[in-house]
Amino acid sequence: MLPAYILADNEPPPAAPLTLTVTAGGRVYLSKALLRQLGVRAGQLADLLPPTAAGTSWQLDLRPTAARRINWHANTCPRLETSRPPAGLVPPGTRLTLALVPTEATGPGLYQLTPLPAPTAA
């Protein structure tokens, strides 16, 4: 007799989250899953736009008019050096993880991001 089929044992693993992490100093580390999904290359123009007073959310700008370039450094994640985020958005000594909002494209090459909740201590 065959063992019972358990659906949970046969489901594909969940997809890697499409995220990036920004530090208070303005460094942005992009996940490999995000790079793959958006087709980002080394040296590509990019920028991370913080929320504005008009109420917009964080945005990843991959348009040809972006101000900076994505750099690959040995033994690290691909990163983007941006200007420091406005005071209070990323507290000193911490990192903020942002996730791609796949259903809300702001325009060609402009991607909306939302903050993920901070992990809780166990």
Side-chain angles (χ1 to χ4, degrees), residues 21-57:
T21 303
V22 60
T23 67
R27 282 192 174 158
V28 178
Y29 298 94
L30 299 103
S31 72
K32 290 179 182 178
L34 179 70
L35 296 170
R36 241 186 334 272
Q37 180 71 27
L38 300 179
V40 176
R41 306 169 315 279
Q44 180 171 339
L45 291 172
D47 207 354
L48 180 64
L49 309 174
T52 64
T56 62
S57 62

Side-chain angles (χ1 to χ4, degrees), residues 48-111:
L48 180 64
L49 309 174
T52 64
T56 62
S57 62
W58 290 87
Q59 296 179 337
L60 178 61
D61 183 0
L62 297 177
R63 297 175 294 183
T65 56
R68 293 165 174 78
R69 291 193 184 277
I70 295 175
N71 297 307
W72 261 255
H73 298 278
N75 300 321
T76 66
C77 296
R79 76 177 184 220
L80 177 63
E81 304 286 341
T82 71
S83 57
R84 290 181 183 269
L89 287 180
V90 183
T94 64
R95 294 173 179 237
L96 176 64
T97 301
L98 303 169
L100 183 68
V101 180
T103 58
E104 299 184 31
T106 314
L110 203 56
Y111 300 92

